[in-house]
Amino acid sequence: MRERGARQGASEVRARICAVGAQQRAARLTLLSICLALSLMLFFIELRLPLVAAVPGFKLGLANIVTVAALRLFRAREALLLLVLRIVLGSVFAGSLPALSFSLAGGLLALSVGVLLLRATPRVSLALLGVVGALLHNVGQLLAAAFWLGTLDVFYYAPVLFALAVFTGSATGFLAQEVLRRVERKNT
């Protein structure tokens, strides 16, 4: 009888632990969904900005504010899911196959190195992470362009894109850090 009671008690504890785990997973999924919606919203806002058309191949990367913040908020696979969903959904609604490949090549390269950089130096500033991400995003996009066009001549455009990436990447990282500060302040 005593053993049976102990098993029932253990079952109740396991059930409570599972319930708490389910609540935490639901909260994480909700936050991930909000981040996806926000990044898509920023992506579509950026499409409407006239500045984007001024320099061919140049974008501010507003949606990357959410991606950089996600590197601190989520595990790597969750940040990857967020990135891929944003790119695929954004391309479905506003892009093309080459645009999808450019965004995936740049985004996956930037995210991969961002994850490695954070693992090597967990306290790296998000401004630096933003700059590195922007530079690598351009490298990935240039590689995709070279594939689609069948020439490496696209890399002649790299200095212009890299100069802009330093500016936009630092702004992206700074804004991501500011968002995280405000969220943390609100939660305390």
Side-chain angles (χ1 to χ4, degrees), residues 81-144:
L81 178 64
L82 175 66
L83 175 79
V84 170
L85 284 174
R86 188 230 329 142
I87 290 171
V88 169
L89 290 172
S91 293
V92 164
F93 293 116
S96 62
L97 183 58
L100 174 66
S101 66
F102 292 175
S103 294
L104 278 175
L108 292 173
L109 183 59
L111 184 75
S112 300
V113 173
V115 167
L116 293 174
L117 186 58
L118 274 172
R119 287 187 180 159
T121 54
R123 298 184 53 83
V124 66
S125 79
L126 291 186
L128 178 60
L129 198 60
V131 170
V132 169
L135 289 168
L136 290 170
H137 200 282
N138 284 331
V139 169
Q141 288 188 322
L142 288 169
L143 288 170

Side-chain angles (χ1 to χ4, degrees), residues 4 38 45 68 70 75 95 103 111 114 141 188:
R4 185 175 183 204
L38 180 60
I45 288 170
V68 171
R75 291 183 285 258
S103 294
L111 184 75
Q141 288 188 322
T188 56

Side-chain angles (χ1 to χ4, degrees), residues 12-181:
E12 289 172 14
V13 168
R14 273 194 301 274
R16 279 191 227 134
I17 290 171
C18 287
V20 168
Q23 288 173 343
Q24 288 174 342
R25 284 191 301 276
R28 240 177 140 65
L29 182 59
T30 301
L31 182 58
L32 193 61
S33 300
I34 290 168
C35 287
L36 176 60
L38 180 60
S39 67
L40 281 168
M41 194 171 65
L42 290 170
F43 171 79
F44 288 119
I45 288 170
E46 184 172 1
L47 287 178
R48 303 286 179 228
L49 297 177
L51 171 68
V52 175
V55 179
F58 171 68
K59 289 178 70 176
L60 293 172
L62 296 177
N64 292 325
I65 296 167
V66 178
T67 305
V68 171
L71 286 170
R72 293 272 178 161
L73 288 171
F74 301 109
R75 291 183 285 258
R77 68 176 179 222
E78 293 165 330
L80 173 65
L81 178 64
L82 175 66
L83 175 79
V84 170
L85 284 174
R86 188 230 329 142
I87 290 171
V88 169
L89 290 172
S91 293
V92 164
F93 293 116
S96 62
L97 183 58
L100 174 66
S101 66
F102 292 175
S103 294
L104 278 175
L108 292 173
L109 183 59
L111 184 75
S112 300
V113 173
V115 167
L116 293 174
L117 186 58
L118 274 172
R119 287 187 180 159
T121 54
R123 298 184 53 83
V124 66
S125 79
L126 291 186
L128 178 60
L129 198 60
V131 170
V132 169
L135 289 168
L136 290 170
H137 200 282
N138 284 331
V139 169
Q141 288 188 322
L142 288 169
L143 288 170
F147 171 78
W148 280 102
L149 298 173
T151 179
L152 294 177
D153 289 348
V154 295
F155 280 93
Y156 287 118
Y157 195 46
V160 172
L161 290 176
F162 292 169
L164 291 168
V166 171
F167 170 72
T168 59
S170 59
T172 296
F174 172 77
L175 290 169
Q177 184 63 53
E178 193 58 30
V179 166
L180 291 177
R181 268 196 207 115

